[in-house]
């Protein structure tokens, strides 16, 4: 069962360029060799004259405690907390960082790395370390679901099943985008239940039957699948994506359109931007499975989504453009 974290206001953070680094590393993330990654980190810090401490975990369940320890050390010693891993690892460490007044850095190690790529962070560890040690600070906005922050997306229905099957295929055959695609094709071939939900946002109530609902906080992911929803103003928004009830053939077509960056053209796709959204299952199950940045959680309904403006003090390369919002 998921326990919501309280909303935390943004805390002002500044850099001196001399901060020690406390790195939380998931040794099982990504395709890269774990020891080579550690060595690249140590070498970059030594060459820059910066102190670093690696907190390496072997299990995802240990990430939260390691993140809390890293935050405590960073607060005591005026340091930076760095997450080393895929989007799920970055999410776990982020929960401990928000509101604590310490900068947050990332070294992407996963398969897709949408969060790092959206902020111009290299997937090469050596380059990412060089950029991190010379970074600038940008306070970015996060999504929230029932109080838990997310960096990329949160979803229910078919999408969590896609992620579970993808992880099983990765364990068997290795981590690559082609393996992820094959896993998706197998998942879509099965029969699926439709979600029967009511969406409440902007003073409106809308009943919807759909195989899946995805809430996105990543402009790069939306761009890659070809969705560009009209947003009412320049404020930060989350973007909801769903499809009308469709069969297996239509799901395959949606997948193809997404691969071709043309999902927004599909007549079965619904998308809209929002700041606050409540999702109520009409069958009223108390608990539902939700995928949050690739990790499957059980959450109590109703599900409440909101944008949390400028709460994460993220270190990004000096050459990176100002981050885009969905």
């Amino acid at each position: 069962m998921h326990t919501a974290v309280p909303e935390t206001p943004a805390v002002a953070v500044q850099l001196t360029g001399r901060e020690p680094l406390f790195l939380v590393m998931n040794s099982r993330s990504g395709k890269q060799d774990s020891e080579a990654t550690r060595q690249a980190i140590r070498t970059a810090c030594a060459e820059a004259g910066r102190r670093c401490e690696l907190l390496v975990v072997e299990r995802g369940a240990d990430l939260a405690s390691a993140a809390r320890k890293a935050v405590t050390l960073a607060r005591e010693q005026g340091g930076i907390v760095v997450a080393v891993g895929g989007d799920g690892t970055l999410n776990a460490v982020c929960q401990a960082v928000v509101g604590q007044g310490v900068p947050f850095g990332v070294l992407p190690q996963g398969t897709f790395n949408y969060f790092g790529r959206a902020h111009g962070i290299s997937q090469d560890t050596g380059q990412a370390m060089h950029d991190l040690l010379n970074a600038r600070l940008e306070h970015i906005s996060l999504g929230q679901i029932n109080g838990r922050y997310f960096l990329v997306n949160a979803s229910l229905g078919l999408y969590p099943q896609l992620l579970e099957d993808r992880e099983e295929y990765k364990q068997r055959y290795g981590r690559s985008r082609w393996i992820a695609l094959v896993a998706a094709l197998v998942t879509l071939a099965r029969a699926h239940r439709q979600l029967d939900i009511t969406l409440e946002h902007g003073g409106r109530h809308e009943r919807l039957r759909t195989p899946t609902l995805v809430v996105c906080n990543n402009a790069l992911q939306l761009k890659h699948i070809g969705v560009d929803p009209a947003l009412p103003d320049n404020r930060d928004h989350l973007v909801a994506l769903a499809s009308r009830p469709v069969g297996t053939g239509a799901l395959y077509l949606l997948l193809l359109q997404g691969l071709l960056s043309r999902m927004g053209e599909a007549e079965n796709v619904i998308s809209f931007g929002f700041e606050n959204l409540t999702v109520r299952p009409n069958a009223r199950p108390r608990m539902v499975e939700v995928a949050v940045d690739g990790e499957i959680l059980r959450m109590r309904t109703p599900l409440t989504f909101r944008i949390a403006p400028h709460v994460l003090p993220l270190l990004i390369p000096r050459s990176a453009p100002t981050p885009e919002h969905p």
Side-chain angles (χ1 to χ4, degrees):
M1 174 178 167
H2 167 69
T3 301
V5 296
E7 180 181 343
T8 308
V11 176
V13 177
Q14 295 183 338
L15 292 176
T16 67
R18 300 183 298 275
E19 292 85 357
L21 277 62
F22 300 96
L23 301 102
V24 180
M25 178 177 177
N26 185 350
S27 65
R28 304 176 69 87
S29 288
K31 299 175 286 185
Q32 302 182 42
D33 177 71
S34 175
E35 184 52 44
T37 298
R38 296 182 221 189
Q39 188 56 49
I41 291 169
R42 295 190 185 102
T43 297
C45 287
E47 291 177 350
R50 296 279 286 275
R51 183 164 57 88
C52 68
E53 181 176 338
L54 273 165
L55 289 74
V56 181
V57 302
E58 303 292 335
R59 302 184 310 143
D62 297 328
L63 281 168
S65 60
R68 289 192 295 269
K69 180 178 179 181
V71 167
T72 298
L73 291 170
R75 293 190 67 180
E76 292 173 348
Q77 301 178 41
I80 293 168
V81 174
V82 181
V84 187
D87 286 335
T89 299
L90 274 50
N91 177 293
V93 180
C94 158
Q95 307 303 317
V97 168
V98 173
Q100 297 303 309
V102 297
F104 180 60
V106 303
L107 297 178
Q109 304 286 302
T111 303
F112 290 96
N113 297 317
Y114 274 118
F115 181 74
R117 290 160 61 203
H119 296 286
I121 299 170
S122 176
Q123 297 178 80
D124 175 78
T125 302
Q127 182 63 51
M129 276 300 300
H130 175 271
D131 293 340
L132 179 64
L133 293 167
N134 299 278
R136 62 183 173 90
L137 197 62
E138 187 85 33
H139 283 76
I140 68 165
S141 301
L142 301 177
Q144 276 188 318
I145 174 173
N146 287 14
R148 182 182 178 91
Y149 296 106
F150 61 92
L151 305 173
V152 180
N153 61 45
S155 59
L156 60 156
L158 177 59
Y159 194 65
Q161 186 60 55
L162 282 168
L163 294 178
E164 287 185 333
D165 292 347
R166 187 179 79 187
E167 190 59 32
E168 181 180 339
Y169 270 66
K170 286 179 181 177
Q171 295 294 330
R172 289 186 187 180
Y173 307 113
R175 293 179 177 272
S176 77
R177 297 183 186 186
W178 286 110
I179 295 298
L181 175 59
V182 170
L185 293 173
V186 172
T187 304
L188 296 181
R190 303 172 186 163
H192 300 286
R193 294 169 53 189
Q194 301 288 323
L195 294 171
D196 183 4
I197 53 180
T198 295
L199 308 179
E200 302 173 9
H201 65 100
R204 295 177 296 171
H205 293 65
E206 177 183 357
R207 186 164 182 170
L208 177 67
R209 285 181 57 82
T210 180
T212 194
L213 174 70
V214 180
V215 174
C216 190
N217 184 45
N218 189 276
L220 178 65
Q221 186 177 48
L222 290 171
K223 180 179 179 180
H224 278 188
I225 63 175
V227 172
D228 184 18
L231 300 177
D233 51 44
N234 292 325
R235 290 178 296 178
D236 290 350
H237 287 79
L238 300 175
V239 173
L241 300 172
S243 77
R244 296 180 177 85
V246 293
T248 299
L251 286 174
Y252 278 133
L253 179 59
L254 286 176
L255 177 62
L256 177 61
Q257 288 173 305
L259 292 172
L260 296 175
S261 301
R262 297 178 62 181
M263 186 176 288
E265 301 174 13
E267 61 181 17
N268 290 320
V269 171
I270 303 163
S271 66
F272 59 90
F274 66 89
E275 293 178 73
N276 296 277
L277 170 70
T278 299
V279 179
R280 299 183 185 275
N282 293 316
R284 298 197 180 278
R286 297 186 63 186
M287 305 291 292
V288 295
E289 280 196 343
V290 182
V292 181
D293 287 341
E295 302 298 317
I296 309 299
L297 306 173
R298 286 186 61 78
M299 289 188 168
R300 188 177 301 276
T301 59
L303 301 175
T304 302
F305 295 88
R306 65 178 292 273
I307 190 76
H310 313 300
V311 294
L312 184 65
L314 179 68
L315 295 171
I316 64 175
R318 290 191 176 275
S319 60
T322 299
E324 291 183 69
H325 300 296

